Amino acid sequence: MPPEADTPEARAGAEAVAEAVFAALADPTRRAILADLARHGPSTATDLAGRVPISRQAVAKHLDRLAEAGLVTAEPGERRRIRHRLDSGPMRVAQRYLAALARDWDGPLAALADHLDRPHPTDLEETP
């Protein structure tokens, strides 16, 4: 990661992207739509409604939420039909955000585990 990417502004931007991704992925229907797009490639809302058990209007609403998070992009298709394509960029930002959180926690959690695993004087005392 370039040095300028580790600024407070960059971290705040990454956190905002991650938050939008996590909010979008919180819904199982949106996860199913993303999985379908990953499996079948760019699709219209009508195509998706045929493969995901919800109405075309509901698919369109979920696609809007996914687009707000940057996870799908709309592109013109044949006969003025809009096709939706998966965009994994925001997912990669969220993965890096989680990896950074894990790095922040790994050291303290390992130290706690070491501390808890060590025998302490009170552990060695016998009870009558």
Side-chain angles (χ1 to χ4, degrees), residues 23-66:
L25 295 177
D27 185 280
T29 301
R30 288 193 286 272
R31 292 193 305 271
I33 289 170
L34 285 177
D36 188 275
L37 288 172
R39 187 172 28 260
H40 297 286
S43 303
T44 65
T46 303
D47 296 335
L48 288 163
R51 298 189 299 255
V52 179
I54 59 174
S55 71
R56 188 211 158 293
Q57 292 79 9
V59 166
K61 287 184 180 191
H62 284 293
L63 286 168
D64 286 344
R65 185 68 187 269
L66 291 167

Side-chain angles (χ1 to χ4, degrees), residues 4-5 31 50 64 85 91 97 101 116 122:
E4 65 274 5
R31 292 193 305 271
D64 286 344
R85 175 184 300 275
M91 192 80 71
Y97 176 80
L101 283 178
L116 294 174
T122 57

Side-chain angles (χ1 to χ4, degrees), residues 98-120:
L98 287 174
L101 283 178
R103 281 190 305 274
D104 290 345
W105 278 93
D106 286 346
L109 288 175
L112 176 61
D114 288 344
H115 175 76
L116 294 174
D117 289 342
R118 263 186 270 140
H120 294 279

